[in-house]
Amino acid sequence: MIAPEFANEFARDWIDAWNRRDLERVLSHYADDFEMSSPYIATLAGEPSGRLRGKEAVAAYWAEALRRLPALAFEHVKTLAGADSVAIYYRGVRGMAVEVFFFDTAGRVVRACAHYE
């Protein structure tokens, strides 16, 4: 089970890392072979499925997002804890978003899904 304290600390660090544009720190939360899905993967990474697997592929996608969005910043709204996941509701440069993160037993993200308005 995900403890609320873990969920809140994860959300604080994840948002702070993005707002500092610290890609290595963002990636430190993820397992090496994690899977990411986002509608923006299709447009920014050219992957029609909207899914990428592994730190190398996702790092390239996120680096391109940081390059294209110099004003990228997240404003935390709410964090919700599930049995094996955390959902972060936030305001980004393009509006409201929710990202759901699924964790392994070591506390690393193994799958993440982004949702946008």
Side-chain angles (χ1 to χ4, degrees):
M1 299 297 288
I2 300 290
E5 298 81 16
F6 174 85
N8 289 324
E9 179 59 31
F10 171 78
R12 276 192 297 275
D13 194 66
W14 186 84
I15 286 177
D16 186 61
W18 274 112
N19 287 344
R20 293 176 184 271
R21 305 175 72 79
D22 186 343
L23 189 52
E24 288 304 314
R25 189 166 141 212
V26 172
L27 288 164
S28 74
H29 293 284
Y30 297 82
D32 288 340
D33 64 344
F34 81 98
E35 181 179 299
M36 178 73 201
S37 65
S38 167
Y40 291 127
I41 288 173
T43 56
L44 289 177
E47 172 51 54
S49 70
R51 293 176 185 262
L52 294 172
R53 180 175 291 280
K55 281 188 179 181
E56 187 176 318
V58 178
Y61 158 65
W62 284 341
E64 180 62 15
L66 288 170
R67 187 187 71 75
R68 288 191 190 187
L69 299 167
L72 183 128
F74 299 155
E75 178 187 337
H76 181 257
V77 176
K78 187 79 174 168
T79 301
L80 304 168
D84 63 349
S85 62
V86 171
I88 302 174
Y89 184 45
Y90 63 92
R91 179 174 287 107
V93 294
R94 296 180 171 168
M96 301 308 296
V98 173
E99 294 206 29
V100 181
F101 307 86
F102 294 86
F103 294 84
D104 63 15
T105 57
R108 295 281 179 232
V109 177
V110 293
R111 185 166 49 99
C113 310
H115 307 78
Y116 305 100
E117 64 175 352

